[in-house]
Amino acid sequence: MITPVPLGTWPTPLEAAPRLAARLGLAELWFKRDDLTGLGAGGNKIRKLRYACAQAIAAGATTVVTSGAPQSNHARLTAAATARLGLSCVLVLAGPPPESPRGNLLLDRLAGAEIVWTGDRPPAEVVAVEAERRSAYVIPFGGTSPASVQGYVDCARELRAQLPTVDGVEVVTALGSGGTMAGLVRELGPQRVIGVDVGAVPDPRATVAGLLVGEVEPEALRIDGTQVGAGYRTFTDAVRAALELTARTEGVFLDPTYTGRAMAALLAGSFPRGERVVFLHSGGLPGLFGHPEV
């Protein structure tokens, strides 16, 4: 078992959301506030990076390389985590550089990360080149690996301590690179966790199952695919409505890529769920400022 590095503030709060629960027809709704993890503007990636950075340090790395979209929350939090740990950070971001950096890109630069744009090249190819050139440690897309899944086992155990009747509760989470859902499933079981696909990976079911080999059958995973829309980087009317309703009933801000999609699915009733729900707020607030269309 890897000993995680000391990043973040734990446990994150569990907050009741009665006004939004009433609008959704739920008996009980809570937000697990993993947007309040305490480092680099917060977010779920910190739980994974505690393990990924521990592996990098154990390997003797002084530089890490990772990848993501231009408004990647994972990239921003990797920049913050490596700054805290005294490591150098290279972010390989998809596509060409924007004319004016916004949102997470501003924070990437403030934290001292070097940004390499892929242009038309495949991100994996650029990551491999940069890692070899710098003798750097590669943290996978989204910070997700079999080891970092433990970060969301930790989260599920926090839930058990915060909500003693958690056995009757379902957890709804955005499903991107798969590690958050996989960790929750490992601790709570596949019938208690609902992942809302955001379009980050081609086959989310295979991705999550691949992190839990021998632990769960892929068919047992509860995955909702109704909110992908035209793709990972798109912003939909359903997500806009979810952001507005959550902010106006509970004063909680969601992001347009991950938590916005997860809440949109919950609002639409597009999957069967019980009357008691925990919504995993995985962060991403800086990404709002990278989407002026919001």
Side-chain angles (χ1 to χ4, degrees), residues 134-151:
R134 304 161 190 269
S135 300
Y137 184 91
V138 176
I139 294 180
F141 168 70
T144 293
S145 68
S148 69
V149 164
Q150 184 63 32

Side-chain angles (χ1 to χ4, degrees), residues 22-260:
R23 294 290 294 270
L24 292 169
L26 293 169
E28 298 173 6
L29 173 66
W30 295 271
F31 283 103
K32 178 59 171 165
R33 297 295 302 270
D34 269 23
D35 56 323
L36 303 178
T37 50
L39 178 70
N44 66 323
K45 305 301 183 183
I46 292 297
R47 290 192 189 268
K48 301 177 187 180
L49 286 164
R50 296 181 72 216
Y51 290 89
C53 289
Q55 289 182 306
I57 291 168
T62 59
T63 301
V64 301
V65 177
T66 197
S67 62
Q71 286 299 323
S72 168
N73 298 307
H74 165 64
R76 181 240 313 163
L77 287 171
T78 301
T82 52
R84 174 70 61 87
L85 296 169
L87 303 173
S88 297
C89 179
V90 179
L91 303 177
V92 174
L93 302 183
E99 291 183 8
S100 58
R102 301 186 180 106
N104 279 312
L105 282 172
L106 293 175
L107 303 184
D108 296 340
R109 292 183 176 181
L110 279 175
E114 180 182 344
I115 299 175
V116 176
W117 295 94
T118 64
D120 295 328
R121 296 171 294 171
E125 176 185 305
V126 180
V127 166
V129 169
E130 294 296 327
E132 182 176 3
R133 184 164 72 86
R134 304 161 190 269
S135 300
Y137 184 91
V138 176
I139 294 180
F141 168 70
T144 293
S145 68
S148 69
V149 164
Q150 184 63 32
Y152 270 85
V153 174
D154 298 342
C155 178
R157 290 173 179 169
E158 283 181 16
L159 276 175
R160 288 192 185 280
Q162 292 171 315
L163 194 65
T165 56
V166 71
D167 288 343
V169 172
E170 292 172 307
V171 180
V172 175
T173 181
L175 167 51
S177 58
T180 297
M181 182 177 180
L184 294 171
V185 167
R186 175 174 288 167
E187 180 65 17
L188 301 175
Q191 292 307 309
R192 301 265 310 289
V193 182
I194 301 159
V196 178
D197 181 20
V198 305
V201 294
D203 189 340
R205 187 175 301 277
T207 298
V208 176
L211 295 165
L212 298 169
V213 174
E215 299 178 56
V216 62
E217 293 298 322
E219 298 76 18
L221 296 169
R222 300 179 66 189
I223 296 175
D224 179 273
T226 63
Q227 301 301 318
V228 174
Y232 177 70
R233 299 190 193 185
T234 61
F235 185 65
T236 67
D237 290 340
V239 170
R240 179 179 286 105
L243 267 61
E244 289 178 353
L245 181 61
T246 305
R248 293 173 188 182
T249 55
E250 298 294 345
V252 172
F253 299 112
L254 305 179
D255 83 287
T257 304
Y258 293 92
T259 54

